[in-house]
Amino acid sequence: MVAQLKIIDRAAYDRYLAGFFDVFRNYNVRLPAADEAPISVEGRWDGDKIVLISFPDEYDFRAWAESAADQELAPDRKAGAEAIVLLVRGFGERPDRTATLIRRRS
């Protein structure tokens, strides 16, 4: 998952961050990068923060993102930052579980 954030309410976003890691550590997830000062190498970027979160597959992403614990934090996340969130498939993703999810959602 890649998230591009424009922070619009620092206090609300900081409240979200205060609970983020307590929820985060309960799921099969890694945080390879979170940067409030990324360097644009090509093109114009007007965001404030980029976040890269790694999940083994879409199933694990949805377990975290749709959890009651994450949803409890969501109001502060949404009030604190405008976000573009992209779910991208990685090279090591387990296709069997993801394919099942895609078939169920179709």
Side-chain angles (χ1 to χ4, degrees):
M1 183 203 86
V2 178
Q4 298 179 45
L5 305 169
K6 180 74 172 172
I7 298 171
I8 55 174
D9 181 338
R10 175 52 77 171
Y13 189 71
D14 285 347
R15 283 192 305 272
Y16 165 71
L17 287 179
F20 173 80
F21 285 103
D22 287 337
V23 173
F24 184 82
R25 70 174 53 100
N26 294 313
Y27 293 87
N28 191 13
V29 58
R30 288 182 28 251
L31 181 65
D35 191 347
E36 287 196 22
I39 298 168
S40 178
V41 176
E42 185 173 328
R44 186 175 177 278
W45 185 65
D46 64 354
D48 295 312
K49 185 174 186 175
I50 191 90
V51 179
L52 175 62
I53 301 177
S54 178
F55 300 86
D57 54 32
E58 186 177 349
Y59 177 86
D60 288 305
F61 163 75
R62 294 202 182 279
W64 168 71
E66 297 171 3
S67 70
D70 190 64
Q71 292 304 304
E72 188 175 314
L73 298 175
D76 281 329
R77 182 183 71 236
K78 291 177 181 179
E82 295 173 349
I84 297 171
V85 179
L86 304 169
L87 186 57
V88 296
R89 297 184 201 285
F91 293 112
E93 189 169 334
R94 296 181 298 223
D96 55 333
R97 291 173 75 182
T98 302
T100 301
L101 278 170
I102 292 169
R103 281 194 298 273
R104 271 193 296 210
R105 300 179 92 212
S106 302

